[in-house]
């Protein structure tokens, strides 16, 4: 394999810059073997999103195509290099009115973009690994979360260790973020404090204005800071995980969950899950909020019970979540791409006199997942669910939401995945009355 030809084809000269120092250090058989084992990585993805929204909002119809192309080197004394380039395109089909374009397919200005999303050096030694540079991260609160074409990506220094049986320990300092859950930019890596997405909208730094203000860029208060992340995951007969995320002068978050499976008989498997997280504003951001007589401290709790029948191919689950907080609480729901809640909810707008729509909210969901292989349709799955989102009337009146969703997934081999998703939302608040159809095809290599 001619690795330099690959570099040229995917236009990532950064890979050459990363590899050249090592080639000068050692040109023996092991280094040449690592070069020969360099492999292409990535995916091609095409999507179509149609959002039929209630007036006065305009319907959105958006087509996008793109993906990821990159390389991963072979191992050389425990070292590996990974470089990947991400791209989106509308193929000239994007509507000229930005309000008719999906909010997450492209950049914040609704225009296609591309980005060098991964450029990392990894070192592995026995049960430990250290990765430095641009990378994908998958944890409950900080997550790559790829529900469109280009996902969230992070600049970080990440250490993992698995010396203890069934335990993974993670320590990381995450400096910057790009992607569809960022606040100030999707196509540029910005500080984690700048990318923190809260419900607080302000006209200026003294005036709260939920209807006409802009979502606050916290870095204007706190300065530009990264996130210290630490995690403990135990997985054997049951799974337990605990994570902490600390961003100086912004917030401190703690997440915990437990999943306990129980075999009823040879056919039926039950799983009981519980979760919770707490968010606390800290430092300069805390002082800023308290000056306005508001706060950023709240919790989420949840439980979920699942039952799976292997013979029938059917899984059923019941889930419940609720948020604490009050009328003076702002929230940072899913602020760095992590959406660990058992009952997923749409983005909730702060409006009128409210600071957040999710304070004291309750939500429940029943879900069914059926393996269509039982009907002779191999590698195909059908999912149907119904959720109720009960918002506190004193905080967000007349805005409860009923959600019905259907998902169809099909795989062809290990490479091609097809997905169709339809979601119908009903509410007395026009902001949450719409139905969304999403079609996607992904080919991974």
């Amino acid at each position: 394999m001619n690795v330099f030809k690959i570099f040229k084809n995917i236009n990532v000269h950064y890979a050459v810059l990363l590899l050249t120092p090592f080639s000068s250090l050692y040109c023996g058989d092991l280094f040449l073997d690592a070069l020969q084992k360099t492999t292409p990585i990535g995916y091609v993805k095409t999507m179509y999103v149609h959002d039929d929204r209630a007036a006065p909002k305009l319907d959105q119809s958006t087509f996008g195509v793109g993906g990821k192309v990159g390389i991963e080197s072979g191992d050389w004394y425990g070292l590996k290099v990974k470089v990947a380039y991400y791209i989106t395109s509308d193929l000239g089909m994007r509507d000229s009115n930005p309000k008719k374009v999906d909010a997450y397919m492209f950049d914040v200005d609704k225009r296609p973009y591309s980005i060098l999303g991964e450029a990392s050096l990894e070192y592995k030694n026995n049960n430990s690994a250290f990765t430095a540079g641009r990378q994908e991260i998958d944890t409950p609160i900080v997550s790559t979360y790829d529900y469109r074409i280009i996902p969230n990506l992070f600049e970080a220094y990440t250490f993992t260790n698995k010396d203890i049986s069934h335990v993974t320990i993670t320590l990381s300092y995450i400096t910057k973020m790009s992607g569809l859950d960022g606040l100030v930019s999707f196509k540029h890596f910005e500080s984690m404090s700048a990318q923190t997405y809260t419900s607080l909208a302000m006209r200026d730094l003294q005036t709260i204005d939920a209807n006409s203000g802009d979502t606050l860029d916290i870095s204007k208060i706190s300065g530009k800071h990264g996130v210290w992340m630490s995690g403990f995951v135990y997985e054997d007969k049951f799974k337990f995980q605990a994570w902490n995320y600390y961003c100086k002068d912004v917030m401190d978050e703690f997440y915990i969950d437990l999943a306990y499976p129980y075999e009823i008989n040879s056919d039926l498997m039950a799983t009981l899950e519980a979760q919770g997280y707490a968010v606390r504003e800290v430092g300069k951001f805390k002082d800023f909020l308290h000056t306005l007589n508001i706060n950023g401290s709240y919790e989420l709790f949840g439980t979920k019970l699942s039952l799976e029948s292997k013979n029938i191919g059917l899984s059923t689950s019941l889930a419940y979540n609720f948020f604490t907080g009050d009328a003076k609480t702002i929230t940072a729901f899913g602020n760095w791409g992590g959406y660990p809640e058992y009952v997923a909810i749409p983005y909730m707008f702060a409006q009128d006199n409210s600071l957040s729509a999710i304070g004291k909210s309750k939500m429940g969901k029943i879900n069914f997942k059926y393996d269509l292989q039982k009907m002779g349709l191999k590698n195909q799955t059908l999912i149907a669910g119904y959720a109720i989102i009960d918002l506190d009337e004193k905080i967000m009146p007349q805005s409860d939401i009923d959600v019905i969703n259907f998902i169809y997934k099909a795989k062809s081999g290990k490479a091609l995945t097809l997905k169709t998703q339809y979601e119908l939302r009903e509410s007395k608040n026009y902001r949450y009355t719409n139905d969304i159809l999403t079609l996607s095809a992904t080919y991974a290599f």
Side-chain angles (χ1 to χ4, degrees), residues 29-46:
D29 292 341
L30 290 177
F31 181 76
L32 293 177
D33 183 61
L35 287 180
Q36 291 173 354
K37 290 182 178 178
T38 296
T39 57
I41 57 173
Y43 59 84
V44 178
K45 189 172 186 179
T46 180

Side-chain angles (χ1 to χ4, degrees), residues 3 18 20 35 63 68 73 83 95 108 164 202 219 231 234 238 251 289 310 316 333 362 366 382 407 419 426 444:
V3 68
L18 285 169
T20 299
L35 287 180
F63 174 81
K68 161 186 170 180
S73 73
V83 178
D95 198 290
V108 291
I164 303 173
M202 305 189 73
S219 67
Y234 172 85
F238 65 92
M251 63 180 61
L289 294 180
K310 298 177 183 177
T316 306
F333 172 69
K362 306 175 182 65
I366 182 169
L382 182 64
I407 300 174
K419 182 178 179 181
E426 292 287 346

Side-chain angles (χ1 to χ4, degrees), residues 206-237:
Q206 291 79 39
T207 310
I208 298 173
D209 189 347
N211 291 331
S212 302
D214 294 323
T215 304
L216 177 67
D217 176 356
I218 295 180
S219 67
K220 294 180 179 179
I221 307 300
S222 66
K224 298 183 182 297
H225 298 294
V227 170
W228 292 97
M229 178 179 76
S230 57
F232 174 93
V233 180
Y234 172 85
E235 193 165 11
D236 187 18
K237 294 181 180 180

Side-chain angles (χ1 to χ4, degrees), residues 64-93:
V65 63
K68 161 186 170 180
V69 61
I71 57 169
E72 183 175 11
S73 73
D75 181 271
W76 182 65
Y77 287 110
L79 291 170
K80 280 188 177 182
V81 171
K82 181 186 289 187
V83 178
Y85 195 72
Y86 296 73
I87 188 169
T88 58
S89 173
D90 59 9
L91 299 184
M93 300 172 65

